Amino acid sequence: SDVKTGWNFDGWKENGITVSANASYTFTVSADRTLTAAFSQQQYTISASANPTAGGSTSGTGTFTYNQSATLTAAANTGWNFDGWKENGTTVSANACHTYTVDAASTLPAAYLQQQHTI
């Protein structure tokens, strides 16, 4: 069986029962058989965090299938400004509402900066 990107091979099934978990299934033919190659979409966990936690909150996390659209939202607390979604220290989006296509598990921190006031 040929597994495409974003999918898992779950096994060969006969009458709803898995007869082999291997992609290559060898057996002795002794009668007519109907085998089904079972596949499922890969699922990824998308997490987000506020950095620092006092700066605000995040939403939109969860489990998504490969190629599904995910939207993370950052909300700054009073006295803080949203400073972008960061991945390994690099800004991947400056928008508080960040929508992207899921192709791997990820954890994105929402960066916040405390507001500065000149007196």
Side-chain angles (χ1 to χ4, degrees):
S1 66
D2 182 26
V3 181
K4 296 189 184 269
T5 301
W7 291 85
N8 295 316
F9 175 70
D10 294 333
W12 290 100
K13 295 190 178 218
E14 185 172 34
N15 298 321
I17 299 169
T18 301
V19 293
S20 177
N22 297 322
S24 179
Y25 176 44
T26 303
F27 59 93
T28 303
V29 177
S30 59
D32 290 342
R33 295 181 78 177
T34 302
L35 298 170
T36 303
F39 297 90
S40 61
Q41 280 192 292
Q42 291 177 351
Q43 296 195 332
Y44 301 103
T45 300
I46 303 300
S47 302
S49 61
N51 185 19
T53 55
S57 61
T58 62
S59 62
T61 62
T63 302
F64 298 83
T65 57
Y66 177 83
N67 226 16
Q68 185 178 3
S69 180
T71 300
L72 297 177
T73 304
N77 288 335
T78 302
W80 293 82
N81 291 321
F82 174 69
D83 190 40
W85 293 99
K86 310 284 183 174
E87 190 167 41
N88 300 320
T90 302
T91 301
V92 295
S93 177
N95 296 323
C97 188
H98 174 50
T99 300
Y100 65 101
T101 301
V102 174
D103 64 357
S106 67
T107 300
L108 290 175
Y112 296 96
L113 295 174
Q114 196 162 20
Q115 293 175 353
Q116 302 293 315
H117 300 283
T118 304
I119 300 176

